[in-house]
Amino acid sequence: MVQLYYHDNQDTEENFTDDHNSGVPVSVEELAELGVIYRHVTSQEELDALATEREYKNRDKVHLNLETFKNDVDAYNAKMKQFYTEHYHEDEEIRYIVDGEGFFDVRNKGDKWIRAKLSKNDLLILPEGIYHRFTLTNAREVTAIRLFKDEPKWEAINRVH
């Protein structure tokens, strides 16, 4: 089941896959106020019903771990840093965790990071235009289903500081 909390902002290039739990919890309702939807989905039927309800026509499955990168630690770390760069998309981003775990961080209206630690059966829908980032946890493995309304468009628009 998802864990939601404010990020402690103590992350570095070496430790961004740590929990970084500030100890201040966030409710599912607070997340929903940002347009972020969380669901605990325990069956293929539930996932298919949600896909139909939200008009998701396409899906794929991704598996990320060190072996995905042929045990090339540098390639793995480069991809994790790319995912962790703050960005948004012009489409919703939907992730259903089949196995493993990962972190999605989203900005609240006060520009603070809210961290969602997702694990098996957690589904998160990020609305278009919300700044976010992703990384694996220290377990370094996740299998996820990505859902799309149309053909996948993966243009990440990075935040300029």
Side-chain angles (χ1 to χ4, degrees):
M1 193 83 167
V2 70
Q3 296 176 35
L4 300 169
Y5 48 86
Y6 281 102
H7 191 284
D8 68 6
N9 293 316
Q10 301 299 313
D11 52 329
T12 66
E13 283 194 21
E14 292 77 34
N15 75 4
F16 66 91
T17 59
D18 292 349
D19 279 355
H20 291 288
N21 189 337
S22 68
V24 180
V26 173
S27 69
V28 171
E29 294 77 20
E30 188 174 345
L31 209 57
E33 289 173 10
L34 302 172
V36 178
I37 300 168
Y38 167 77
R39 300 256 175 95
H40 188 73
V41 177
T42 58
S43 70
Q44 187 66 47
E45 292 77 20
E46 276 184 88
L47 184 63
D48 292 344
L50 179 74
T52 299
E53 170 192 327
R54 296 188 66 86
E55 299 179 357
Y56 301 140
K57 299 177 187 98
N58 296 304
R59 66 180 72 183
D60 66 8
K61 186 184 262 190
V62 294
H63 184 81
L64 291 174
N65 65 10
L66 193 53
E67 288 79 40
T68 304
F69 297 90
K70 298 179 174 55
N71 294 312
D72 181 337
V73 174
D74 291 336
Y76 170 86
N77 287 337
K79 184 55 81 174
M80 290 306 107
K81 286 178 184 172
Q82 178 186 347
F83 289 158
Y84 202 63
T85 300
E86 184 176 2
H87 64 279
Y88 72 89
H89 303 284
E90 293 179 336
D91 295 321
E92 286 185 340
E93 183 165 343
I94 305 93
R95 295 292 179 273
Y96 172 63
I97 307 301
V98 175
D99 203 13
E101 57 188 21
F103 295 117
F104 268 95
D105 297 338
V106 297
R107 291 276 189 190
N108 75 358
K109 291 177 182 163
D111 220 27
K112 291 183 180 179
W113 284 117
I114 295 173
R115 176 155 276 193
K117 183 177 185 180
L118 303 175
S119 55
K120 185 175 181 171
N121 297 327
D122 288 334
L123 180 137
L124 200 66
I125 302 171
L126 303 178
E128 64 184 61
I130 192 169
Y131 281 107
H132 66 280
R133 59 190 182 189
F134 172 80
T135 190
L136 296 179
T137 66
N138 287 330
R140 294 187 178 183
E141 186 160 12
V142 73
T143 301
I145 293 176
R146 305 182 299 180
L147 302 168
F148 310 98
K149 291 198 179 212
D150 294 303
E151 292 301 314
K153 290 190 290 189
W154 285 115
E155 183 178 349
I157 302 162
N158 291 342
R159 186 168 186 179
V160 180
H161 293 280

